[in-house]
Amino acid sequence: MMDKRTVVEAKTVFQSSIDLDAKTRAQYYNNWAEHYEKDHALLGYRSPYLAVEFLNGNFQGSREDALVLDVACGTGWVAKLMRDLGFRHFVGVDGSEGMLAKARMTGLYQELKQTLLGSEPLPAQPDAYDIVMIAGAQDAGFVPVSACRELCCAAKPGGLVCMSRGHHTDVKSQEYTRDLEQEIQRMEVEGLWRQVGIHRTNIYMKNPHVDLQKDTEKTPAIPGTVYLYQKCQP
Ligand SMILES: C[S@@+](CC[C@H](N)C(=O)[O-])C[C@H]1O[C@@H](n2cnc3c(N)ncnc32)[C@H](O)[C@@H]1O
């Protein structure tokens, strides 16, 4: 039987996640894994597309040979898009076993590791990856700002770190954005990485907090940013 989802159902699940701590959030994603991609399509979620497009336009190495670390890989959306562009080698990390089970079904990842970032270190050798991707997972209650250094550490010198995230309007998200952007700049001043480019968009996803029929004064979409950095040579 066709499993039809509606925008209202997708928004309801999305809104029920606000204010969860990281551990409860992993459980929440276990429960959402089955409907995650359908619901996010209904929500107009563009994070994986924005990340992959920006990365691909700035990547100059061999796509076939590049080793990609997909952090907070979820169901494997990022790897599926990158595969279509010729990338072949993926390692995935996520806190939710349910999401990892979906990622495993893609057959794209040579390794998938369950890790709750913030509570546990990123399971990656230093200087190991040509590309480190993280899409849709940098926000309050998700992957903490402190993990940013671990992403950089996992990249090879000269490797790229691509971070794609939405700017939700609640106070905690705004604080996260401020702290993340400060940390990104600090790392640049420390000579850990250099900026390749920043892509800002007004349409990262539909505003999941708005019922457009009743709430027309609010913006229909939330903005987002893709940050692309290159790890410096030691
Ligand atoms: C919105 S989904 C994004 C998944 C995928 N990158 C995409 O764009 O479709 C957020 C993902 O981050 C994971 N996540 C959230 N907090 C995490 C944490 N602290 N450590 C590891 N994974 C986390 C969730 O389990 C979920 O799979």
Side-chain angles (χ1 to χ4, degrees):
M1 202 176 85
M2 275 276 282
D3 181 16
K4 280 213 165 179
R5 299 283 287 182
T6 65
V7 181
V8 175
E9 280 173 298
K11 281 188 179 181
T12 305
V13 181
F14 189 96
Q15 287 176 10
S16 70
S17 77
I18 293 162
D19 276 345
L20 296 182
D21 61 59
K23 208 168 166 189
T24 320
R25 188 173 301 279
Q27 184 60 46
Y28 158 88
Y29 275 107
N30 288 341
N31 296 332
W32 204 3
E34 191 56 39
H35 294 295
Y36 172 84
E37 288 193 9
K38 269 183 236 151
D39 284 0
H40 278 68
L42 287 167
L43 291 169
Y45 173 73
R46 297 175 64 224
S47 193
Y49 299 96
L50 292 165
V52 170
E53 195 183 332
F54 199 47
L55 177 277
N56 190 51
N58 286 282
F59 181 72
Q60 285 164 2
S62 156
R63 284 163 180 70
E64 257 185 42
D65 296 330
L67 183 58
V68 180
L69 179 63
D70 184 7
V71 178
C73 62
T75 53
W77 207 332
V78 164
K80 285 189 262 185
L81 295 174
M82 291 184 78
R83 182 243 350 243
D84 294 345
L85 295 167
F87 293 92
R88 294 283 172 268
H89 306 287
F90 303 98
V91 171
V93 175
D94 199 278
S96 156
E97 189 45 54
M99 296 293 269
L100 286 169
K102 287 285 176 190
R104 204 167 286 122
M105 285 165 66
T106 66
L108 290 175
Y109 293 90
Q110 60 196 51
E111 244 182 304
L112 285 164
K113 306 175 192 189
Q114 185 184 6
T115 305
L116 199 60
L117 296 166
S119 309
E120 298 169 281
L122 181 67
Q125 293 292 323
D127 303 334
Y129 292 89
D130 298 286
I131 299 170
V132 179
M133 303 292 285
I134 181 164
Q138 288 171 297
D139 207 341
F142 285 69
V143 173
V145 169
S146 57
C148 203
R149 279 174 192 264
E150 296 181 88
L151 305 181
C152 179
C153 181
K156 289 178 184 171
L160 295 178
V161 179
C162 183
M163 303 176 279
S164 165
R165 58 181 299 272
H167 299 278
H168 292 272
T169 48
D170 57 282
V171 174
K172 283 185 187 165
S173 288
Q174 288 180 8
E175 286 172 359
Y176 188 103
T177 300
R178 182 201 60 207
D179 293 348
L180 179 68
E181 296 197 346
Q182 282 175 357
E183 178 72 338
I184 287 172
Q185 277 175 20
R186 243 190 322 266
M187 288 170 63
E188 199 166 10
V189 171
E190 289 172 26
L192 295 177
W193 61 15
R194 70 166 192 94
Q195 188 189 109
V196 176
I198 289 189
H199 172 67
R200 300 211 187 258
T201 172
N202 289 329
I203 308 174
Y204 174 83
M205 68 187 292
K206 288 179 192 165
N207 188 337
H209 314 288
V210 171
D211 175 347
L212 287 173
Q213 318 261 266
K214 299 181 195 149
D215 207 358
T216 45
E217 81 282 5
K218 288 191 191 159
T219 53
I222 64 156
T225 303
V226 187
Y227 308 87
L228 186 61
Y229 279 77
Q230 182 176 40
K231 180 165 172 173
C232 295
Q233 302 291 337

